[in-house]
Amino acid sequence: MNWFSRGVRNAFRNATRTTALVVIIGLSIGLALSMLIANQAVSQKINSVKSSVDNTVSIFPAGLRGFAGGGTPLTQSQLKAVSSEPHVTKLDETLSDRLTSSDTNLSSAISAGSLGRRFAGNGFAGGNGGFAPNFNFTPPVTVNGTTDPTNLGSSSATTGGGSFSLKSGSVINGLSDADVAMVGSALAAKNNLKVGSTFTAYNTTFTVSGIFSTGTKFGDNQVIMPLATVQRLSGQVGDVTAATAYVDSIINLSSVTSKIKQILGSSADVTNSEQQAQTAVSSLQSIQTVSLYSLVGAVIAGAVIVLMSMVMIVRERRREIGIIKAMGSSNLRLFGQFMAESVTLTLIAAVLGIIIGTITSNPITQMLVSNSSTGTSVKAAGPGGGFGFARHFGGLAALRGDVSTIHAAVGYGIIGYGLLAAVVIAIIGTLAATYFIAQVRPAEVMRVE
Amino acid sequence: MLKVKDLKRYFKSGDVVVKAVDGVSFEIPDGKFISIIGQSGSGKTSLLSLLGALDKPTDGAIEVDGSDITKLNANSLNSYRANTIGFVFQSYNLVPNLTAIENVMLPMEFIKVAKTERLARARELLAEVGLSDDQMDRKPGKLSGGQQQRVAIARALANKPKYILADEPTGNLDSDTGRKIFNLLHDLTKKEKTTIIAVTHDLSIAGKTDQSFRLKDGKLVNSSVAKKKK
Ligand SMILES: Nc1ncnc2c1ncn2[C@@H]1O[C@H](COP(=O)(O)OP(=O)(O)OP(=O)(O)O)[C@@H](O)[C@H]1O
Ligand SMILES: [Mg+2]
């Protein structure tokens, strides 16, 4: 018997109280753990969403996305001011256009289908006015004149997103004015084009410099040319339908974005990827905050329970404490004894808490996430091969979709945290009780009860 | 040698000052058996608490072998209680969650006796006060009053203290058992040359001690050296 084993034994002195304390403290540790697990799962998600954010600013003519909506194109002279802005490292410009059967010998690799006919029939595609479904309609071939031919992200509304990969040949120079083009793999297959082959567009003969693929059928049905070439041949010199500004650091992203908005005024829709990600993570962040507060709250609640119990126990054992002091024990030894008692109790509670936390963490995380993301989630990811508009937000919707797939993982770390929480709770709870231990005057034991 | 000089312990309760111990002085040579008698409320318990360093006096000095224990710091006080004093209380005051033998081992822990040695000495002491092996492993709740007081005496002797302070050690026992307990205390301490200061109401017991102090309203009224040695 020493102070330590006395403390451990005292933890089991009163079976009813021990059980009640273990259950209550176990519940608070369990709650704290599941909140910790939820918090970790959510912050992991936030980090992955945030790390997917690049420091770019998207610029579109006001009211226009791809071939949807309307408005007037931006001009390169307007954008000059943007590219000379400090912190803007690079500015990609794109002019999207469509080839009609009258000025090209290329035929589209995509058949209209019901979606195509529907959009075409509503005059959506232009040139085919009237409401009668147009059964002869074939989706036109998209031409993207761009300064950065390998970057599809800059004008994802028209390129269909995806990632550019060169299948054969070489990449064109986006800054040139030559009659060269890269052709999407689907379009090339449909028209039997190879590197070095020629085709007609804008009544001009183009040489195929490379064949590329994007991973989407829509993207692989397009032609990429230098910006200046498209501008010249389509009679839109100086016009731009999409631009992407690259910012040197994510820190400057929002300031540069507002600066660009200021420069372009109402003529452009300016957004950055951070804003899009921000919307997606904001609900996650509130869950993170809630779970953090609950975590802290549960630990505090546990500590308060231990504190109150220990104060109660100390008051109940005043006489015993007095006896031990009268026999020459230091206060410190008594503190140690009571500390051992509370740590024993909370460690048993921690075992219960770890079990509770492991069982409840996943449902709790799911509940928190689904409750707070309803009402903000985007309903559909947009038609895959359609006309681009929905595509632009497709990525974001997918991002949101991911939110509900958060999985709370229970690792060995959690067991460690559970035990740590137990010890912290016990120490905080018992520290206050030591005051009452120190207060016991040994002379009291002389009094007969 | 225990020297008490003009010892005072006043309690203030509201406007009233209770002079529980009011200027007591005496000297006790080593190895004596002293009894303290006096009416209820005369200050016997208060005096004993001061001698055992369980309480601080309002004024005065208690010299134990030349050093004043009223001036000790917390650590030295603990060491004084553990090494020099053994207490026997009227209400036994055993630790309820410890067995008889663990209760006797307890004070030895505070003077850092090794565990095996503690166990051996506790067993020896309990056997000496007449406890059976089976009784040694029982908790106090399962022992009679007389048995509990025997355990308390064994515990008081555990650290071989120079002084045993006993506050009505037989007060809760029938007179026959009480006498046995007193004789036991007396015999054990004679063997170890321990000084005993015992508060008692039993004048027949008081008469057998080496010296008897009578307290009245916190003051020593007469100290009689017993003529007839036992
Ligand atoms: N903590 C205290 N606060 C106030 N007064 C006290 C305190 N302790 C003792 N007293 C008072 O001091 C006086 C002496 O008390 P004490 O317990 O020493 O008497 P006693 O001689 O031991 O009596 P008894 O024979 O009844 O045990 C009493 O009047 C008592 O009320
Ligand atoms: Mg008394």
Side-chain angles (χ1 to χ4, degrees):
Chain A
M1 267 299 118
N2 54 25
W3 60 269
F4 180 77
S5 43
R6 267 200 305 283
V8 173
R9 189 199 286 190
N10 279 343
F12 303 98
R13 195 153 158 177
N14 180 330
T16 318
R17 179 163 61 204
T18 305
T19 313
L21 277 178
V22 163
V23 168
I24 298 172
I25 300 165
L27 282 173
S28 78
I29 291 177
L31 180 63
L33 285 183
S34 48
M35 286 304 151
L36 177 67
I37 296 166
N39 188 278
Q40 283 178 342
V42 169
S43 34
Q44 221 169 37
K45 193 73 209 174
I46 289 176
N47 283 341
S48 81
V49 169
K50 278 193 173 162
S51 68
S52 71
V53 172
D54 48 16
N55 15 341
T56 61
V57 182
S58 303
I59 305 164
F60 293 102
L64 182 79
R65 289 294 183 284
F67 301 108
T72 26
L74 295 164
T75 62
Q76 277 181 292
S77 51
Q78 267 179 304
L79 292 169
K80 196 135 217 141
V82 173
S83 61
S84 56
E85 221 4 77
H87 303 300
V88 172
T89 53
K90 190 170 129 202
L91 185 75
D92 286 348
E93 295 163 329
T94 303
L95 174 65
S96 300
D97 197 24
R98 282 166 162 173
L99 298 172
T100 55
S101 46
S102 60
D103 59 16
T104 184
N105 64 351
L106 292 175
S107 44
S108 175
I110 300 173
S111 58
S114 59
L115 281 175
R117 280 196 290 276
R118 181 179 164 78
F119 295 147
N122 284 320
F124 195 66
N128 285 294
F131 287 97
N134 185 341
F135 292 102
N136 298 321
F137 172 74
T138 332
V141 174
T142 301
V143 177
N144 281 309
T146 175
T147 53
D148 187 13
T150 59
N151 192 345
L152 301 167
S154 63
S155 52
S156 55
T158 45
T159 59
S163 56
F164 177 92
S165 74
L166 189 68
K167 293 276 146 204
S168 58
S170 57
V171 174
I172 56 166
N173 177 4
L175 300 174
S176 81
D177 186 20
D179 296 338
V180 290
M182 293 190 295
V183 180
S185 52
L187 192 62
K190 173 88 178 178
N191 295 285
N192 285 320
L193 294 176
K194 291 191 177 50
V195 175
S197 320
T198 57
F199 65 92
T200 311
Y202 301 116
N203 301 316
T204 307
T205 305
F206 279 84
T207 310
V208 176
S209 150
I211 312 274
F212 65 91
S213 93
T214 65
T216 71
K217 186 151 192 196
F218 181 82
D220 291 348
N221 188 44
Q222 64 185 316
V223 180
I224 297 176
M225 298 176 180
L227 175 65
T229 310
V230 178
Q231 285 175 334
R232 167 170 51 84
L233 293 172
S234 67
Q236 304 179 84
V237 174
D239 287 355
V240 167
T241 54
T244 303
Y246 290 79
V247 180
D248 55 1
S249 158
I250 194 126
I251 301 162
N252 300 319
L253 190 57
S254 61
S255 67
V256 171
T257 305
S258 33
K259 200 74 217 267
I260 295 175
K261 278 182 184 162
Q262 204 182 313
I263 292 168
L264 298 175
S266 60
S267 65
D269 289 336
V270 180
T271 55
N272 64 37
S273 43
E274 192 192 26
Q275 290 164 340
Q276 297 156 11
Q278 200 55 52
T279 328
V281 298
S282 68
S283 67
L284 286 178
Q285 271 163 341
S286 65
I287 299 168
Q288 200 182 25
T289 312
V290 166
S291 60
L292 188 68
Y293 284 146
S294 309
L295 165 66
V296 173
V299 171
I300 289 175
V304 168
I305 293 164
V306 173
L307 189 151
M308 288 173 47
S309 313
M310 289 317 287
V311 168
M312 206 175 76
I313 288 171
V314 166
R315 302 194 131 238
E316 196 179 285
R317 298 202 200 131
R318 279 187 86 84
R319 193 172 193 84
E320 185 176 326
I321 292 167
I323 297 166
I324 295 175
K325 283 189 179 185
M327 287 188 301
S329 168
S330 63
N331 277 335
L332 210 61
R333 190 181 288 266
L334 276 161
F335 295 165
Q337 180 190 317
F338 280 89
M339 205 63 96
E341 179 169 352
S342 61
V343 170
T344 304
L345 282 172
T346 55
L347 282 183
I348 300 168
V351 173
L352 182 68
I354 289 166
I355 296 170
I356 294 174
T358 308
I359 296 171
T360 59
S361 60
N362 230 322
I364 285 182
T365 308
Q366 297 299 332
M367 199 181 72
L368 284 173
V369 170
S370 61
N371 275 356
S372 64
S373 60
T374 44
T376 55
S377 73
V378 167
K379 292 283 184 281
F387 282 84
F389 173 67
R391 267 278 165 190
H392 183 70
F393 291 101
L396 187 56
L399 200 100
R400 290 245 177 100
D402 276 0
V403 168
S404 57
T405 64
I406 290 178
H407 260 272
V410 183
Y412 287 111
I414 291 307
I415 294 174
Y417 280 122
L419 299 178
L420 185 72
V423 173
V424 167
I425 284 174
I427 289 174
I428 294 174
T430 313
L431 276 180
T434 59
Y435 169 79
F436 294 95
I437 295 173
Q439 286 294 302
V440 176
R441 298 181 320 116
E444 284 175 43
V445 296
M446 300 294 273
R447 308 273 143 218
V448 180
E449 278 172 337
Chain B
M1 176 72 124
L2 176 70
K3 270 190 201 168
V4 172
K5 289 181 193 163
D6 199 21
L7 195 65
K8 289 176 184 154
R9 179 64 169 105
Y10 295 172
F11 294 104
K12 239 196 188 127
S13 47
D15 290 341
V16 195
V17 175
V18 180
K19 298 179 174 180
V21 178
D22 193 14
V24 170
S25 302
F26 57 78
E27 284 183 18
I28 301 174
D30 290 346
K32 296 287 181 196
F33 194 158
I34 309 293
S35 58
I36 299 176
I37 53 174
Q39 286 178 340
S40 178
S42 58
K44 305 180 296 289
T45 298
S46 302
L47 176 60
L48 224 52
S49 299
L50 294 173
L51 297 181
L54 300 186
D55 198 7
K56 289 249 182 218
T58 310
D59 197 17
I62 304 167
E63 272 180 25
V64 178
D65 298 331
S67 65
D68 188 351
I69 62 154
T70 64
K71 297 197 165 59
L72 296 179
N73 63 21
N75 272 341
S76 310
L77 271 180
N78 287 337
S79 152
Y80 172 75
R81 289 173 193 152
N83 288 289
T84 315
I85 302 292
F87 265 106
V88 182
F89 307 93
Q90 179 177 352
S91 49
Y92 324 133
N93 278 336
L94 299 176
V95 178
N97 203 35
L98 300 181
T99 62
I101 199 156
E102 284 164 351
N103 263 285
V104 179
M105 288 164 73
L106 185 61
M108 292 187 254
E109 185 186 317
F110 309 138
I111 60 165
K112 299 188 172 63
V113 177
K115 180 155 188 188
T116 45
E117 207 177 314
R118 294 206 299 255
L119 192 68
R121 177 155 171 81
R123 192 166 290 281
E124 188 188 315
L125 281 167
L126 282 174
E128 222 171 322
V129 299
L131 243 74
S132 69
D133 282 3
D134 154 63
Q135 288 161 347
M136 290 179 196
D137 291 325
R138 286 193 218 158
K139 288 185 180 171
K142 289 179 177 168
L143 293 170
S144 74
Q147 287 161 349
Q148 286 188 57
Q149 196 60 306
R150 282 163 197 273
V151 176
I153 289 170
R155 184 181 64 181
L157 293 169
N159 289 352
K160 302 186 178 130
K162 201 161 176 215
Y163 300 92
I164 296 261
L165 305 179
D167 193 359
E168 299 187 44
T170 61
N172 278 350
L173 303 170
D174 62 79
S175 58
D176 210 32
T177 316
R179 205 150 297 133
K180 277 184 192 160
I181 292 286
F182 228 98
N183 288 337
L184 176 71
L185 202 55
H186 186 255
D187 292 348
L188 290 170
T189 47
K190 272 276 120 53
K191 230 168 50 183
E192 308 267 349
K193 259 207 108 191
T194 308
T195 303
I196 306 185
I197 304 169
V199 170
T200 181
H201 277 127
D202 192 334
L203 292 176
S204 70
I205 288 172
K208 286 181 198 161
T209 57
D210 296 330
Q211 200 175 354
S212 191
F213 294 145
R214 179 182 292 276
L215 279 178
K216 190 167 190 283
D217 298 330
K219 291 185 162 73
L220 212 56
V221 286
N222 76 336
S223 85
S224 65
V225 178
K227 294 278 176 290
K228 35 182 179 156
K229 287 264 160 70
K230 192 197 155 210

